[in-house]
Amino acid sequence: MVQKTALGVMVGLVSFLVVLPITPLPSFLYITLTLYFVFITLAQSWNLVGGYSGLLNLGHSAFFGVGVIAGGLATIHGLPIYASMVIGGAAAAGLGLVMSPTFRLRADYFAIGTLVLPAVVRPALENLTGIHEIIIPRERLLFVTTSYYVGLVMMLVSLTILYLVISSRFGVALRSMREDEDASRSLGVNTFRLKLLSLLVSGFFAGLVGGFYASYLGFISPSYVFSLNFTLTPVFMTLLGGIGTFLGPIVGGLVFAGLSQVLTSLFPGSSLDLLIFSGMIIFIAVVAPRGLMPVVRRLVR
Amino acid sequence: MANVADNLTTFIQLLSIGLLNGGLFAISASGLSLIYGVQRVLNLAHGDLLVLSAYFTWLFSITLTPLLKVSPLLAVVVNVAAMAAIGSVIYFLLIDRIQSLGFEPPLLATFGLAVFLQTTMGALWTGYPKIAQNQPYSTTSLAVGSILLPQSIVIGFIAGVIGTLSLHFFLVRTYFGLAIRASSQDWEAAEFTGVNVRRVRWASFALGVALAGVGGTFYSVTSSFVPVSGTSILLILLTIVVLGGTGSVLGTLFASIVVGIIQQIGAFYFGPEVGTIATFLAFLLVLLVRPTGLFGKQRG
């Protein structure tokens, strides 16, 4: 019953988003909506590792940033947007492969290792490639409506694939590993391979989003795309909605989008929104560690 | 021949500055290590608490210093008290409620706290870099042969080493130190032998944050800082804690000095960013080869 309602709401929401551009709304609205497509996809990609595998990845911006750089370079060299996105995803998945030795670490050390990751990867990339900014040439930039639809397609395809991944046997294996890793291992499950695969998939989608974001923004400085913002916001959205649930990042993303729009229009130019969001992270961690979804579910019943 | 001598002098100069800087890190890093060792809570706001006390020192240096003609370093007294109080508030409002829920909730709570502190400091004191003017120390250097050592860094080093060694002897020689070590090894067993584990955890959290206050005081007279400096400081402190191994104060001191030297030498010979990359690579390598750190004790 609840699932049918959720499906109905989803279909309604998607058709609304598809037909929205026929209305004469100001273009900044579409630009803002596209940004939320970026963040919701990023949040769901984080959720696969952070929520389902139980590996607290505090360096998601490194995967995103690698995707932005690789995808941006591909776009500059003339590749179409979808190809650039896939290249961004592949590059970020490569970073996941490099990270694989850290799975031997205890869970809290994995969190520390990933926290340091953006601070290693960004200067390493900048020094190796000599790139300190990426400017997408004007003729390769997307129009607002095109960018909106590409972003929407990216979000829908990524969410669908991630949903299939989560509900597959692989997803079940991830959850059982999260609940009790030793028990999984004693049943003959190769937990190293599970963790690696989940990080590869998660990294791929973070990089895919990055590859899109390069063309969305047009001008990229690595220190921006590797910044804490691109870890903090997805993690916050996921926590808000409920970590380790498929609807969590989506509901959390919608609540976040609404909240931040209200806050920025009420207090333009101030950092009050960050203050409130950080306060909410603390509040969620202390009072509602399972996020808003259990509360919503209780209300639906 | 003269060239070789010059190079050698430069190298020794870098080595000594690195060593001194490392000693300066040691005190804050041992605070982080203490908190992690006792409650298995990684305080992601540690760097920002350090920066907060650096701002307190800066405020002290522009108000009380010209008024009373005292060194801004005296702010260390204020900072220790203020940070112990703030640490206690954080402990009872956040950590105490959630540390039994596993490692994730405290990590997220202190992550939120870190962003909260950065935003608040940004709103209060703008993003413009600050440094606590510390006449006459800031401008004078000690000359050892042809090697120059800025006096403020030397004072920070001495304070760092004395503070770290006092912490070591406090943990090893006193009854309360014993209780702290017992609680960090097996809190249930400690509870059975009559240790008030909750009080130990509170005291060690407050002490750990107060040590960040000491570190922040000396940091503010040696380096300029902005509201978001805490993040990069935290990463350096984490590196030190992991390299040194949790539960080993002397290991932390040693690791601080190693990190200080790697940073100076890497930055001078290969560019400022390389110092950072080299430090973090060393960190990741040690993490992989010896997850308990160079001096850490094996845990079950």
Side-chain angles (χ1 to χ4, degrees), chain A residues 10 36-53 60 154-166 174 198 201-203 205-206 209 233-239 242-253:
Chain A
M10 286 281 202
Y36 291 125
F37 299 160
V38 164
F39 274 119
I40 288 178
T41 319
L42 206 53
Q44 192 66 273
S45 73
W46 183 83
N47 191 28
L48 184 69
V49 164
Y52 285 92
S53 301
H60 208 50
M154 171 192 76
M155 179 176 78
L156 294 179
V157 170
S158 308
L159 290 185
T160 311
I161 295 177
L162 283 167
Y163 181 75
L164 293 176
V165 168
I166 286 165
L174 284 187
S198 70
V201 175
S202 162
F205 283 104
V209 178
T233 311
V235 172
F236 177 57
M237 286 173 159
T238 311
L239 285 176
I243 185 168
T245 61
F246 179 74
L247 285 180
I250 302 171
V251 173

Side-chain angles (χ1 to χ4, degrees), chain B residues 242-248 290 292-298:
Chain B
V242 172
L243 284 177
T246 51
S248 162
R290 259 189 80 89
T292 48
L294 294 174
F295 300 92
K297 300 172 184 93
Q298 293 290 339

Side-chain angles (χ1 to χ4, degrees), chain A residues 50 56 58 101-102 104-109 111-113 115-116 119-120 122-124 126-127 228 232 235 239 271 274-275 278 281-282 285-286 289, chain B residues 36 40 42 44 93-94 97-98 101 103-105 107-109 111-113 115-116 119-120 234-235 238 242 246 273 277 280-281 283-284 287-288 291:
Chain A
L56 196 60
L58 293 178
T102 54
R104 282 175 43 219
L105 303 177
R106 253 182 15 212
D108 41 359
Y109 279 128
I112 308 175
L115 188 69
V116 176
V120 180
R122 183 191 56 80
E126 279 188 304
N127 278 305
L228 200 58
L232 178 67
V235 172
L239 285 176
S271 47
L274 261 181
L275 209 62
S278 55
I281 291 188
I282 301 174
V286 175
Chain B
Y36 186 73
R40 313 267 91 198
L42 193 60
L44 294 185
L93 280 185
L94 307 178
R97 293 158 182 250
I98 50 179
L101 300 177
F103 79 99
E104 280 173 319
L107 210 55
L108 291 167
F111 185 55
L113 184 65
V115 182
F116 186 83
T119 319
T120 313
L234 173 74
L235 294 182
L238 279 176
V242 172
T246 51
E273 302 245 86
I277 303 176
F280 291 146
L281 279 183
F283 160 76
L284 288 176
L287 207 55
L288 291 178

Side-chain angles (χ1 to χ4, degrees), chain A residues 84-100:
Chain A
S84 304
M85 284 160 65
V86 172
I87 285 178
L95 178 65
L97 206 58
V98 176
M99 280 291 287
S100 62

Side-chain angles (χ1 to χ4, degrees), chain B residues 200-222:
Chain B
V200 165
R201 284 180 171 163
W202 161 58
S204 58
F205 196 88
L207 178 62
V209 175
L211 290 174
V214 178
T217 312
F218 290 99
Y219 188 80
S220 72
V221 296
T222 54

